[in-house]
Amino acid sequence: MGFLDIKNVTKSYGAVEVLHRVDISVQEGEFLVLVGPSGCGKSTLLNMIAGLEGISSGTISIDERVMNGVHPSKRNIAMVFQSYALYPNMTVGQNMTFGLEMHGVPKPEREAALKDVAKLLQIENLLDRKPGQLSGGQRQRVAMGRALVRQPDVFLFDEPLSNLDAKLRVDMRTEIKKLHDKLKTTIVYVTHDQIEAMTLSTRIAVMYQGYVQQLGTPKEIYDTPANVYVATFMGSPAMNVLPVRVVMRDGVPHAAVRAQDGAEQYLRFSQSNLAAWDGREILLGVRPEAITDPDGADRNSANIVPLSNRIGVTEPAGADTFVTMELGGRDVIARMRADANVVSGQDFTFAVNMEKAVAFDPASEERIAP
Amino acid sequence: MAVADQDTAVRTGLVTRVFIYGILLVFAAFYLLPLFVMLTNSLKPLPEITGGNMMALPDTWTFEPWRQAWSSAQIGVEPTGLKPYFMNSILMVVPAVAISTMIGALNGYVLTKWSFRGDKIIFGLLLFSCFIPFQIVLIPMASVLGKLGMAGSIPGLVLVHVVYGIGFSTLYYRNYYAVFPTELVRAAMIDGAGFFRIFWRILLPVSGPITVVCVIWQFTNIWNDFLFGASFGGQTQPMTVALNNLVQSSTGVKEYNVHFAGAILAALPTLLVYIVAGRYFVRGLMAGSVKG
Ligand SMILES: Nc1ncnc2c1ncn2[C@@H]1O[C@H](COP(=O)(O)OP(=O)(O)OP(=O)(O)O)[C@@H](O)[C@H]1O
Ligand SMILES: [Mg+2]
C-alpha cells in the first residue's frame, strides 16, 4: 500500500479507451516520472490524479483516502502547468497566495508563507510584478512557488520545463531536484524528455499507447528494459536492436551476426538460458556505450567480445565520438572515447560488452529474462 | 545608388501619402456634412432657415430651439419637450444593457469552460436568435408581456431588449473566452475557487475589451430601437418614438430648427459612448483574432 495508489485505472472518452488498466503505487517522498511520446496519456493520468478528469474505472487514493469524485481543491495537491497558468490580472504575490486565500487562510499566515517560499525560490524582488512582466524562467519559478505555498501532499508537474530554452531547462532541472531533496514531498512529474526522466526520478513509468510499459528505477529501466519499445525510447542515442540467430558453441549460446564483409561472427551471451533458443532468431539489444574500442572497454566486465567490422560514419561530439557501422543489415551506433583512433571506411576491431546485452523475443518484443 | 533608391522611396511615399490623406479628408467632409447642417440650423431662428441658405452659418446665434426641443416642444398632445422621454430611454437602456451583458458573459463562461452535453446546440440556438427579424416576434411578444402584466411599461421594454440582446452578448463573450487558456481555470479550481469565484476573480478582470464592445453594441441598438418602443412603450415611450412624434405631429409651421436640435439630442448618448469607449472598441474587436 503506497502513499499515492493508482489501482486498475482506465480512462475512456466515449467509446475510445485512452488509458488501460494502469497500476502504479507511489511511496511517500518518491519522485515518479511519467514519460512517453505525445498522446500516450501522461497528461490524462496526471489530470485524473488532480481531479480535473473523471476516472472511468478503478480507484486513485492518496494517503489511504479514495479520491474518486473528490474535488481538486480537496485533494491537497498542487499542480504546475506547462503554460504556467499564472493569473494575468494578479501580481506574483497574489498569484502565489490565491490558493491559500480560497482556503480561508488568514492574511498574516498567507504573508508568512509567501515570504518563506519567495525566499526559497529567490523571487522576493518579483512579488509586486504582473506575470506579463516576467521572463520565462521567472514565470516558471512563480508557478512552482504557487504550488509550494500550499504545502500539498503531492506535487503534480505537467511538462513544466518544456517552454524554456535548453540551458535554462538544465538549470531548472537541477533546481527541482534540489527542491525535492530538501522538501521530500511526493512528486508526480510528466515529461516526454527521457533525460529529464532519468535525472530527476526515483522511479519512472514509461507509457506508450495508454499502457504503462514498464515501471521501475532509472537503472532498471535503462539496464533491463521490459520490451523493445522501452529499450529504444530511453537512452540517447537509442539502444541498437538487431536480429541475430542463436547458435551453441562449446555448450554456450552465441549470437551469430553478419558484418559488412559478409563473414559471420559470434558474440558470446552472458545469459545461459538463451540455450533454449538454439537455432532460432531473437532480437539482440546493445547500448552504444557497450560497443567501444578495445582500450575503452569496461574493465569490470567479464564478457568483452571482439567484433571486426568496417567503420561507417564517425561523428565527434566533444566528449565522445559516435561511430556508425552496418551489422546484420542494420545501422549500429558505437560510442567511443573522444581520442579513439577511428577513421571512416577502415576496418576496425570493436569490443562489445555482452554482459550489458539484452535479448528480446522477436514475436512479442518482450525481454527474455535471464 | 543606394541613396538614389532611398530618395525615390521617400518621394513615392510622400506622393502616396498626400493622395491617401486627400481622399480621407474628402470622405471625412462628406460624412461630417449632415452633422454640420444639423448643428448650424439648430442654432438659427426659424426665419433664417425658411428664408435662406441651409448651408450658411447663423446670423443670429440662439439656443432657443435646443431649449424648446428639450423642455417645451409639442410631443403628440403634450407640450413637454423630449426631456421625460429621454429619461424613459435612460431608464430602459441602462438596466437592459447591464443585464444582457452580464448574462452574455456568464453564458460565454459556461459554454467555453464548463462544457456539457448539448452545449453546441444551445449556443447554436442562441446564435439563431441574432437573426430573427423584430417584426416576427411582435405579436407573440405582446401576448407574453400582457400575460406577465408588463405591457406598456419600462420593465417590459427592458425584458424585450434583454431577451433580444443575449444572443449577441453571448456570441461576443463565448468567442472571447474560447481563446482564454483553460489551464487557468483548472489552476483556479485546484486553488479552491468555485464557479462564481473563478468567473469573478479570473475571467472578468481580463474581459475589459469585450465588455466595451458588448456595451457599445447593446447601447446603440437598444437606444436606437424604434419598433419595440413604439409597440410596447405605452405611456413610457423612449426617445426615438418621441422624436418621431415631435417631427411628425406639429400641425402648424414645421420648426426645423427644433427638429434638428431634437435629433441631435436623441443621437447624443450613442455619440458620447463611441467617443469615450471607441478606442477600446477596436481593440476589443481585434482581441480574439490576434491572441489566437
Ligand atoms: N477530451 C478528449 N476527448 C477525446 N480524446 C481525448 C481527450 N483528451 C485527450 N484525448 C486523447 O487521449 C490521449 C492522451 O492524451 P494526453 O493529453 O494525456 O496525451 P499526453 O501523453 O499528455 O501527450 P502530450 O505529450 O502531447 O501532452 C490522446 O490520444 C488524446 O487524443
Ligand atoms: Mg500532455
Side-chain angles (χ1 to χ4, degrees):
Chain A
M1 188 83 189
F3 184 70
L4 165 65
D5 265 320
I6 302 167
K7 276 211 200 111
N8 224 337
V9 162
T10 60
K11 175 72 187 178
S12 311
Y13 289 109
V16 189
E17 196 170 281
V18 296
L19 278 179
H20 321 276
R21 298 187 160 273
V22 175
D23 267 302
I24 299 175
S25 174
V26 185
Q27 300 303 318
E28 186 157 14
E30 255 199 288
F31 197 129
L32 174 76
V33 171
L34 306 175
V35 68
S38 189
C40 70
K42 313 177 291 283
S43 299
T44 305
L45 184 57
L46 197 73
N47 289 337
M48 284 162 82
I49 299 172
L52 298 170
E53 295 274 1
I55 301 167
S56 303
S57 75
T59 57
I60 293 180
S61 50
I62 298 175
D63 203 6
E64 319 226 327
R65 227 177 101 218
V66 174
M67 288 296 165
N68 296 37
V70 176
H71 190 267
S73 65
K74 303 259 160 63
R75 298 185 177 207
N76 205 17
I77 48 125
M79 189 154 169
V80 177
F81 294 86
Q82 182 171 359
S83 66
Y84 315 138
L86 300 176
Y87 311 125
N89 55 311
M90 300 183 199
T91 64
V92 167
Q94 289 165 339
N95 257 286
M96 288 170 63
T97 52
F98 185 69
L100 294 179
E101 189 193 333
M102 291 298 115
H103 281 82
V105 177
K107 186 144 190 182
E109 280 172 51
R110 297 203 304 254
E111 295 298 322
L114 175 64
K115 233 174 115 186
D116 286 349
V117 173
K119 196 163 162 211
L120 180 70
L121 293 173
Q122 298 165 349
I123 49 174
E124 291 137 302
N125 55 334
L126 305 177
L127 294 182
D128 294 324
R129 290 208 207 160
K130 292 276 177 71
Q133 302 163 324
L134 301 177
S135 73
Q138 290 168 332
R139 278 179 215 182
Q140 170 61 47
R141 260 167 220 275
V142 174
M144 281 193 343
R146 185 170 66 182
L148 284 174
V149 287
R150 299 268 311 279
Q151 302 197 323
D153 288 339
V154 182
F155 281 120
L156 306 174
F157 288 86
D158 193 352
E159 309 210 21
L161 305 184
S162 59
N163 285 342
L164 302 178
D165 66 54
K167 168 143 177 32
L168 200 53
R169 196 177 310 166
V170 175
D171 293 348
M172 289 305 293
R173 199 169 74 199
T174 318
E175 209 151 316
I176 292 177
K177 178 120 185 162
K178 273 194 209 148
L179 215 55
H180 178 246
D181 285 345
K182 193 154 160 185
L183 302 173
K184 300 259 182 297
T185 311
T186 313
I187 294 180
V188 182
Y189 185 107
V190 164
T191 180
H192 59 250
D193 178 350
Q194 40 104 8
I195 297 177
E196 255 173 51
M198 293 295 290
T199 51
L200 285 173
S201 65
T202 58
R203 274 197 304 159
I204 298 175
V206 182
M207 298 179 62
Y208 181 54
Q209 293 186 339
Y211 289 96
V212 174
Q213 303 284 331
Q214 188 173 7
L215 174 65
T217 63
K219 190 170 166 49
E220 283 167 0
I221 301 270
Y222 195 75
D223 289 342
T224 56
N227 53 39
V228 173
Y229 182 79
V230 175
T232 48
F233 185 78
M234 300 298 288
S236 172
M239 182 186 264
N240 301 298
V241 177
L242 58 157
V244 296
R245 196 163 38 80
V246 178
V247 294
M248 298 301 287
R249 293 167 58 110
D250 307 329
V252 181
H254 284 62
V257 289
R258 244 173 238 293
Q260 208 174 356
D261 59 10
E264 202 163 49
Q265 302 186 43
Y266 304 97
L267 311 173
R268 183 160 63 89
F269 280 113
S270 293
Q271 197 177 333
S272 57
N273 68 340
L274 289 174
W277 291 76
D278 184 17
R280 284 191 283 162
E281 209 170 69
I282 61 163
L283 294 172
L284 168 67
V286 188
R287 293 219 175 263
E289 62 268 26
I291 310 176
T292 56
D293 58 307
D295 289 340
D298 183 358
R299 274 170 230 293
N300 298 320
S301 170
N303 188 11
I304 302 286
V305 181
L307 171 74
S308 308
N309 203 353
R310 181 155 319 136
I311 293 175
V313 183
T314 64
E315 297 173 72
D320 309 295
T321 298
F322 293 104
V323 174
T324 316
M325 64 176 125
E326 201 186 311
L327 193 65
R330 305 245 179 135
D331 274 341
V332 167
I333 295 177
R335 184 182 213 146
M336 308 278 181
R337 295 170 299 140
D339 49 0
N341 185 22
V342 284
V343 180
S344 177
Q346 284 193 348
D347 287 329
F348 190 79
T349 303
F350 296 90
V352 183
N353 182 359
M354 286 298 283
E355 237 183 21
K356 292 278 190 183
V358 282
F360 300 101
D361 182 329
S364 66
E365 300 206 334
E366 298 290 317
R367 186 168 78 99
I368 304 167
Chain B
M1 183 63 200
V3 175
D5 275 355
Q6 219 167 36
D7 260 10
T8 3
V10 169
R11 222 172 322 125
T12 6
L14 199 69
V15 171
T16 329
R17 212 169 307 164
V18 167
F19 182 70
I20 290 173
Y21 278 104
I23 293 208
L24 287 177
L25 278 173
V26 168
F27 274 104
F30 183 71
Y31 276 102
L32 284 173
L33 202 59
L35 186 66
F36 171 79
V37 171
M38 284 174 71
L39 212 56
T40 47
N41 288 299
S42 72
L43 294 167
K44 289 176 194 170
L46 190 58
E48 262 188 58
I49 302 179
T50 47
N53 185 356
M54 284 265 281
M55 303 300 285
L57 288 173
D59 288 334
T60 342
W61 295 77
T62 169
F63 278 104
E64 185 56 22
W66 284 75
R67 201 197 51 75
Q68 278 185 24
W70 180 246
S71 56
S72 67
Q74 192 83 15
I75 309 288
V77 288
E78 305 279 344
T80 55
L82 290 170
K83 191 163 90 179
Y85 303 96
F86 188 87
M87 282 303 142
N88 285 347
S89 270
I90 294 281
L91 289 176
M92 168 188 77
V93 167
V94 171
V97 169
I99 294 170
S100 63
T101 303
M102 208 58 212
I103 295 178
L106 268 173
N107 281 349
Y109 169 53
V110 171
L111 286 170
T112 54
K113 302 302 171 206
W114 298 83
S115 41
F116 51 93
R117 268 179 101 84
D119 52 0
K120 295 249 159 41
I121 295 171
I122 293 203
F123 179 55
L125 291 175
L126 275 168
L127 268 191
F128 194 56
S129 79
C130 299
F131 303 112
I132 300 176
F134 282 17
Q135 290 79 353
I136 289 182
V137 297
L138 279 183
I139 292 167
M141 187 65 88
S143 101
V144 168
L145 287 178
K147 287 207 176 90
L148 291 174
M150 290 165 100
S153 72
I154 287 182
L157 279 177
V158 169
L159 178 70
V160 173
H161 285 299
V162 165
V163 168
Y164 244 101
I166 52 178
F168 272 106
S169 59
T170 302
L171 171 67
Y172 286 138
Y173 279 96
R174 198 211 78 107
N175 289 352
Y176 190 74
Y177 290 153
V179 295
F180 184 88
T182 304
E183 278 195 350
L184 281 175
V185 175
R186 297 186 146 197
M189 270 171 78
I190 292 178
D191 270 341
F195 178 87
F196 282 107
R197 263 213 278 190
I198 293 175
F199 179 60
W200 193 253
R201 296 281 299 269
I202 312 292
L203 273 92
L204 220 48
V206 296
S207 305
I210 202 65
T211 304
V212 169
V213 170
C214 191
V215 165
I216 289 186
W217 175 266
Q218 300 288 32
F219 190 97
T220 36
N221 270 341
I222 299 175
W223 184 274
N224 289 336
D225 163 71
F226 179 79
L227 188 63
F228 285 152
S231 313
F232 307 129
Q235 292 310 301
T236 54
Q237 284 171 336
M239 191 73 167
T240 42
V241 180
L243 180 66
N244 177 61
N245 292 347
L246 168 73
V247 176
Q248 302 290 332
S249 71
S250 36
T251 41
V253 204
K254 289 249 183 222
E255 298 186 84
Y256 290 114
N257 52 355
V258 177
H259 298 174
F260 279 134
I264 297 177
L265 278 174
L268 217 49
T270 47
L271 214 60
L272 212 68
V273 166
Y274 267 106
I275 291 168
V276 171
R279 241 165 0 115
Y280 303 98
F281 184 70
V282 178
R283 215 181 291 165
L285 279 182
M286 303 302 293
S289 54
V290 272
K291 255 191 212 154

